[in-house]
């Protein structure tokens, strides 16, 4: 569900920002923004695959939706709310359990200098 | 500084501000972890805040209410339907890889903030929007030479980003804008306004254009400025930099920059160069936020009297001028203190003077706030009573106030104890004056020729009486004696 809902909103931005047919550079840029390492040799084929997906989504534009409000959920419900009460936290050891290099209660990462 | 006189002409400084205000709430925007400041690292982090797989955000109703309350306090349009979006970027203090924010459909639309200018006039600055978003965690760079330390306690705390129109001109107005915003937020109780703890910070957008031009110049955004003084300095430093470039024939590159207060300069932030491709899209974990108009009306009905309304009332009810009224209403507690002193007083302006000048000055010297003043409002009122009924002069009253600060005693008790009651007895003052006249024949001759010199005698009488002689009586007697 999540994937289906977010794709149409991504598409217009990619369409306006990027050339219609995806080239290698664009694929590389998308990969870098997503922090996915893609070997140079795979860029070409990936561009073709992504192009196909975009083309498939493009078909949705054939339907006239001018008078249709965007569907945000398949169930009739309001956004659930929570009261302002502290009910969670207090377990730094659980939060840090998967951190490869935690120190004195902190996550640590290679130096990020500004 | 509103403009910069350059070599090629006079440049106008145009500023737009994005204020990030931490929402006052006990729990975070989308999780049940605490928002309290200063806890042990990562001890106020839920698995939602840490972005563990499968965790889902559930919105805190109080944070929504605080955003609506703030919008209403800024005379802004409340949007009954708003949408949360994901703003995608990578940074170590952002475990999700995106910030949940609001992009196209914010919770609050256009509003207005009124600046109180130093000369007592006002100026309206447009508010473009207010939206709710999550704060990021905190990166600490000085704990290790090779590593950055990350504490996620702040990650997920609710922020309101309040965006102004580029209506602000120059550095003073930029400072006044943040001051007024802080004041309104504190009245509303929606943000504590504590800039040292980072509860209120500003991104400052600066551009310059030749005075008279109507098109805006290219702007640079200075991130995370965390004091009102730094806001003013950042505007000036950045505007000067831009004028220098433009006058040398260069062009301004739109950039995210950083203000270095120690060096008094701004510089480009390397990390942000590539980050501007945020690829916003509606967060599929969150339905649109729909608000009930009746609920909005309830919040509106519960708003306190805000600074602008209070200022107008102080001018009307107490006859204060706009400058004094603006100073007194800036802080809710100052205003309440003043009202306690001024109520039922013959001369409320006396109360304003004493609160603004004498009390505030002494509190500042001691680094105290009005709510922990050693002299409570009722006690200052007691002191002013003694001035109004002529028991003591204003000059003596200043000394008494010093003693009140030092001892915590009431004005009545101190005046009695030290025998400071003003001498209004004509005979007693006349005796002192006669003595001085007898001792100083030269001065008398001089004063008869040049009446201005007579002030010297008043000073001598005050000195001889330990400041207790009633100045009006002294003047009256002196005029009579010199005319003899």
């Amino acid at each position: 569900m999540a994937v289906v809902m977010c794709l149409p909103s991504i598409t217009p931005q990619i369409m306006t920002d990027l050339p219609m047919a995806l080239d290698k550079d664009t694929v590389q840029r998308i990969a870098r923004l997503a922090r996915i390492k893609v070997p140079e040799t795979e860029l070409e084929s990936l561009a073709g695959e992504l192009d196909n997906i975009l083309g498939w989504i493009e078909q949705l534009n054939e339907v006239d939706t001018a008078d249709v409000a965007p569907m945000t959920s398949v169930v009739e419900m309001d956004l659930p709310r929570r009261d302002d009460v502290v009910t969670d936290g207090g377990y730094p050891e659980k939060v840090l359990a998967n951190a490869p290099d935690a120190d004195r209660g902190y996550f640590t990462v290679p130096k990020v200098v500004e | 500084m509103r403009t910069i006189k350059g070599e090629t002409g006079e440049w106008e400084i145009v500023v737009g501000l994005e204020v990030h205000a931490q929402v006052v709430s006990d729990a975070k925007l989308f999780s049940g972890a605490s928002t309290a400041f200063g806890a042990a690292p990562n001890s106020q982090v839920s698995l939602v805040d840490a972005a563990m797989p499968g965790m889902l955000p559930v919105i805190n109703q109080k944070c929504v209410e605080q955003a609506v309350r703030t919008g209403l306090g800024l005379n802004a349009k409340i949007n009954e339907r708003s949408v949360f979006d994901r703003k995608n970027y990578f940074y170590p203090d952002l475990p999700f890889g995106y910030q949940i924010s609001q992009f196209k459909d914010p919770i609050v639309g256009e509003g207005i903030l009124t600046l109180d200018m130093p000369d007592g006039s006002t100026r309206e600055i447009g508010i473009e929007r207010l939206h709710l978003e999550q704060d990021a965690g905190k990166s600490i760079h000085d704990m290790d030479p090779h590593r950055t330390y990350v504490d996620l306690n702040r990650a997920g705390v609710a922020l309101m980003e309040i965006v102004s129109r580029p209506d602000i001109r120059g550095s003073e107005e930029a400072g006044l804008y943040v001051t007024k915003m802080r004041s309104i937020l504190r009245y509303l109780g929606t943000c504590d306004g504590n800039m040292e703890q980072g509860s209120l910070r500003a991104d400052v957008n600066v551009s310059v254009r030749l005075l008279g031009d109507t098109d805006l110049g290219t702007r640079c955004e200075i991130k995370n400025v965390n004091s009102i003084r730094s806001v003013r300095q950042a505007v000036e430093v950045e505007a000067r930099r831009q004028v220098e470039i433009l006058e040398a024939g260069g062009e301004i590159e739109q950039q995210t920059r950083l203000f270095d207060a120690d060096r008094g300069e701004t510089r480009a932030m390397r990390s942000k160069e590539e980050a501007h491709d945020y690829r916003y899209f509606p967060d599929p974990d969150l339905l649109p936020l729909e608000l009930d108009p009746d609920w909005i009306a309830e919040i509106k009905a519960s708003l306190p009297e805000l600074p602008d309304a209070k200022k107008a009332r102080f001018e009307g009810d107490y006859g204060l001028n706009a400058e004094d009224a603006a100073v007194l209403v800036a802080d809710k507690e100052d205003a309440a203190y003043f009202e306690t002193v001024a109520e039922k007083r013959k001369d409320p302006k006396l109360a304003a003077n004493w609160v603004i000048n004498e009390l505030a000055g002494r509190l500042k010297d001691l680094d105290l706030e009005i709510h922990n003043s050693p002299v409570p409002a009722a006690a200052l009122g007691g002191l002013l009573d003694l001035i109004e009924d002529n028991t003591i002069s204003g000059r003596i009253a200043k000394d008494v106030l010093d003693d009140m600060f030092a001892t915590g005693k009431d004005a009545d008790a101190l005046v009695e104890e030290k025998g400071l009651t003003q001498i209004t007895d004509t005979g007693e003052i006349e005796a002192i004056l006669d003595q001085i006249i007898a001792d100083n024949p030269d001065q008398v001759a001089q004063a008869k020729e040049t009446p201005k010199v007579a002030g010297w005698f008043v000073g001598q009488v005050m000195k001889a009486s330990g400041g207790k002689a009633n100045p009006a009586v002294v003047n009256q007697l002196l005029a009579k004696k010199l005319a003899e």
Side-chain angles (χ1 to χ4, degrees):
Chain A
M1 188 63 219
V3 173
V4 176
M5 275 183 5
C6 71
L7 274 177
S9 54
I10 280 189
T11 317
Q13 206 175 355
I14 291 180
M15 289 298 182
T16 50
D17 284 356
L18 310 172
M20 283 300 288
L22 290 180
D23 55 22
K24 273 168 64 181
D25 286 350
T26 309
V27 174
Q28 193 147 48
R29 186 170 140 222
I30 295 169
R32 192 170 58 235
L33 283 169
R35 298 296 191 278
I36 297 171
K37 190 171 182 179
V38 179
E40 175 73 27
T41 50
E42 287 175 25
L43 287 173
E44 200 78 59
S45 62
L46 206 53
E49 283 176 42
L50 287 171
D51 240 356
N52 281 340
I53 294 172
L54 289 175
W56 174 70
I57 295 166
E58 187 82 340
Q59 289 178 27
L60 295 173
N61 288 340
E62 289 166 18
V63 186
D64 181 6
T65 56
D67 297 325
V68 184
M71 185 179 75
T72 50
S73 172
V74 289
V75 284
E76 276 295 316
M77 64 179 291
D78 281 342
L79 176 66
R81 324 273 170 108
R82 205 165 36 77
D83 287 336
D84 184 31
V85 180
V86 176
T87 55
D88 210 346
Y91 41 72
E93 66 295 338
K94 264 166 96 177
V95 169
L96 293 165
N98 299 318
D101 197 17
D103 182 23
R104 285 168 277 172
Y106 294 88
F107 293 92
T108 73
V109 296
K111 193 107 186 168
V112 195
V113 193
E114 201 52 81
Chain B
M1 193 165 76
R2 262 182 97 88
T3 60
I4 292 176
K5 286 204 176 63
E7 285 166 20
T8 57
E10 189 166 4
W11 299 84
E12 182 177 39
I13 306 171
V14 178
V15 181
L17 283 163
E18 291 164 27
V19 169
H20 297 262
Q22 198 181 95
V23 172
V24 172
S25 67
D26 291 332
K28 294 182 180 180
L29 181 55
F30 294 115
S31 86
S34 168
T35 60
F37 181 80
N42 292 306
S43 65
Q44 293 176 170
V45 181
S46 78
L47 298 179
V48 179
D49 308 319
M52 293 298 169
M55 297 294 112
L56 284 173
V58 181
I59 198 163
N60 181 339
Q61 175 74 356
K62 172 77 177 285
C63 298
V64 176
E65 181 186 333
Q66 295 285 53
V68 170
R69 178 174 284 274
T70 306
L72 292 169
L74 296 169
N75 307 300
K77 179 174 176 289
I78 308 301
N79 293 325
E80 284 166 24
R81 183 178 186 279
S82 65
V83 175
F84 286 98
D85 300 281
R86 292 185 178 178
K87 178 180 181 177
N88 299 281
Y89 67 94
F90 279 97
Y91 206 74
D93 59 18
L94 187 78
F96 284 88
Y98 59 83
Q99 177 192 35
I100 304 178
S101 180
Q102 297 190 297
F103 185 52
K104 258 177 38 208
D105 300 298
I107 186 166
V108 176
E110 292 193 324
I112 279 173
L113 183 133
T114 304
L115 297 186
D116 301 292
M117 306 303 288
D119 65 0
S121 67
T122 57
R123 218 167 92 67
E124 288 188 345
I125 305 295
I127 304 283
E128 188 181 312
R129 56 184 281 159
L130 176 156
H131 66 253
L132 274 171
E133 62 183 26
Q134 300 174 296
D135 206 344
K138 199 168 114 192
S139 303
I140 301 159
H141 303 290
D142 57 6
M143 284 179 71
D144 184 291
H146 308 295
R147 292 182 292 178
T148 293
Y149 281 56
V150 180
D151 173 12
L152 297 181
N153 281 349
R154 212 179 57 190
V157 170
L159 293 180
M160 297 178 282
E161 176 169 332
I162 309 167
V163 183
S164 86
R165 298 246 172 240
D167 291 348
I168 300 162
R169 297 289 170 269
S171 53
E172 280 81 13
E173 277 188 18
L176 288 173
Y177 176 91
V178 179
T179 306
K180 186 61 177 278
M181 182 65 76
R182 182 171 178 272
S183 166
I184 291 173
L185 294 171
R186 285 167 55 92
Y187 265 73
L188 292 166
T190 56
C191 170
D192 68 19
N194 190 326
M195 297 188 85
E196 293 87 58
Q197 290 179 5
S199 311
L200 192 76
R201 0 188 241 277
D203 294 345
V204 187
N205 289 286
V206 181
S207 65
V208 298
R209 63 183 173 191
L210 280 170
L211 200 59
D213 276 2
T214 48
D215 290 343
L216 292 169
T218 304
R219 66 189 163 87
C220 285
E221 179 180 10
I222 306 150
K223 282 273 178 201
N224 261 329
V225 186
N226 58 8
S227 77
I228 288 165
R229 193 164 151 249
S230 295
V231 167
R232 286 196 300 259
Q233 285 177 341
V235 169
E236 289 182 15
V237 166
E238 176 60 17
R240 279 207 188 90
R241 185 188 73 91
Q242 293 185 12
V243 168
E244 253 175 54
I245 293 175
L246 292 169
E247 295 209 317
E251 271 182 31
I252 304 300
E253 191 188 337
Q254 185 163 344
Q255 255 178 352
T256 305
R257 300 178 69 85
L258 184 77
F259 175 60
D260 184 330
D262 295 331
R263 293 203 215 167
E265 63 174 30
T266 67
R267 57 175 183 272
M269 288 172 81
R270 277 177 296 163
S271 65
K272 297 282 175 179
E273 277 167 14
E274 217 184 43
H276 272 299
D277 199 346
Y278 290 130
R279 296 150 294 142
Y280 284 98
F281 65 90
D283 191 321
D285 289 342
L286 292 159
L287 288 165
L289 176 59
E290 316 237 15
L291 306 179
D292 176 0
D294 292 340
W295 183 68
I296 298 172
E298 265 174 52
I299 298 173
K300 187 162 192 174
S302 76
L303 290 188
E305 183 184 36
L306 290 169
D308 292 334
K310 203 183 276 287
K311 181 179 161 220
R313 188 166 61 77
F314 280 11
E315 290 177 56
D317 288 3
Y318 300 115
L320 303 187
N321 61 38
E323 293 99 308
D324 285 354
V327 169
L328 287 169
V329 303
D331 186 285
K332 194 169 63 173
E333 287 175 347
D334 289 352
Y337 187 104
F338 162 75
E339 281 213 84
T340 309
V341 181
E343 258 167 352
K344 294 180 206 137
R345 186 160 298 289
K346 269 186 293 181
D347 183 7
K349 282 189 228 167
L350 183 72
N353 276 338
W354 277 76
V355 172
I356 293 171
N357 300 314
E358 303 304 329
L359 181 82
R362 284 168 176 77
L363 289 175
K364 199 177 169 194
D365 290 344
L366 295 170
D367 210 13
L368 289 173
E369 299 287 333
I370 204 145
H371 65 265
N372 47 26
S373 167
V375 177
L380 182 64
L383 178 67
L384 301 191
D385 287 343
L386 297 179
I387 301 177
E388 279 187 343
D389 68 12
N390 275 327
T391 306
I392 55 173
S393 68
R395 212 195 70 57
I396 292 276
K398 290 179 189 178
D399 297 339
V400 176
L401 185 58
D402 285 335
D403 287 343
M404 291 168 77
F405 264 84
T407 63
K409 290 184 184 168
D410 277 352
D412 274 329
L414 286 165
V415 167
E416 168 109 28
E417 195 177 289
K418 301 203 162 184
L420 296 172
T421 304
Q422 185 161 243
I423 306 168
T424 45
D425 174 25
T426 317
E428 200 176 330
I429 294 175
E430 194 167 9
I432 300 171
L433 186 57
D434 283 342
Q435 187 61 49
I436 293 167
I437 286 174
D439 291 347
N440 299 283
D442 294 351
Q443 311 280 13
V444 175
Q446 221 178 0
K448 281 185 174 171
E449 298 216 344
T450 347
K452 263 194 250 166
V453 185
W456 181 83
F457 285 95
V458 182
Q460 292 301 306
V461 176
M462 296 311 280
K463 205 167 145 191
S465 67
K468 291 190 287 181
N470 180 319
V473 177
V474 177
N475 277 315
Q476 198 186 351
L477 283 171
L478 182 64
K480 209 171 80 192
K481 299 269 174 199
L482 291 178
E484 275 169 10

